[in-house]
Amino acid sequence: MKQSDYFADGELLSTQTWEYDTQGRQTKNSSFDSNGLREYTVTEYNAADMISGTYTYAGDGTLRSYTENVFDENGNSMGINYYDGEGNLEYSTQYE
């Protein structure tokens, strides 16, 4: 799937593409501007078909940041940890 946005004068502002696996789950989202690939995000799933993490990369492939979803022993979502591209925990969200 692809979406393009344009300025009023018709110049390309940005384009986004989405990729899906054979199960219909979104696996990649890419953002482009007039200079090419700006960034992309890869989504991973666990065995229970829940999003286990997302990884955002610069257009050159450098990891910018990632998230790690946290689940309890019953598979309930307990929160999300947010990391920078070097693996340092920036903050976390906890569900109660």
Side-chain angles (χ1 to χ4, degrees):
M1 178 176 283
K2 178 179 175 181
Q3 172 187 320
S4 296
D5 299 308
Y6 297 89
F7 290 106
D9 65 3
E11 180 184 351
L12 178 66
L13 171 64
S14 65
T15 299
Q16 287 197 39
T17 61
W18 295 270
E19 297 177 26
Y20 299 86
D21 63 16
T22 56
Q23 297 173 338
R25 303 175 302 186
Q26 183 180 311
T27 56
K28 188 175 183 181
N29 173 295
S30 301
S31 297
F32 302 84
D33 60 19
S34 59
N35 296 316
L37 179 62
R38 191 172 51 208
E39 72 175 22
Y40 60 97
T41 300
V42 175
T43 303
E44 294 184 350
Y45 298 84
N46 63 21
D49 206 28
M50 303 285 287
I51 294 175
S52 58
T54 59
Y55 301 83
T56 301
Y57 298 88
D60 66 3
T62 303
L63 180 64
R64 285 187 175 170
S65 63
Y66 65 96
T67 65
E68 176 185 73
N69 293 348
V70 180
F71 302 93
D72 68 13
E73 62 277 355
N74 296 315
N76 298 307
S77 182
M78 300 303 295
I80 305 173
N81 293 326
Y82 297 84
Y83 298 89
D84 66 17
E86 296 178 0
N88 300 306
L89 180 65
E90 293 185 312
Y91 65 96
S92 62
T93 300
Q94 296 179 358
Y95 307 133
E96 298 177 13

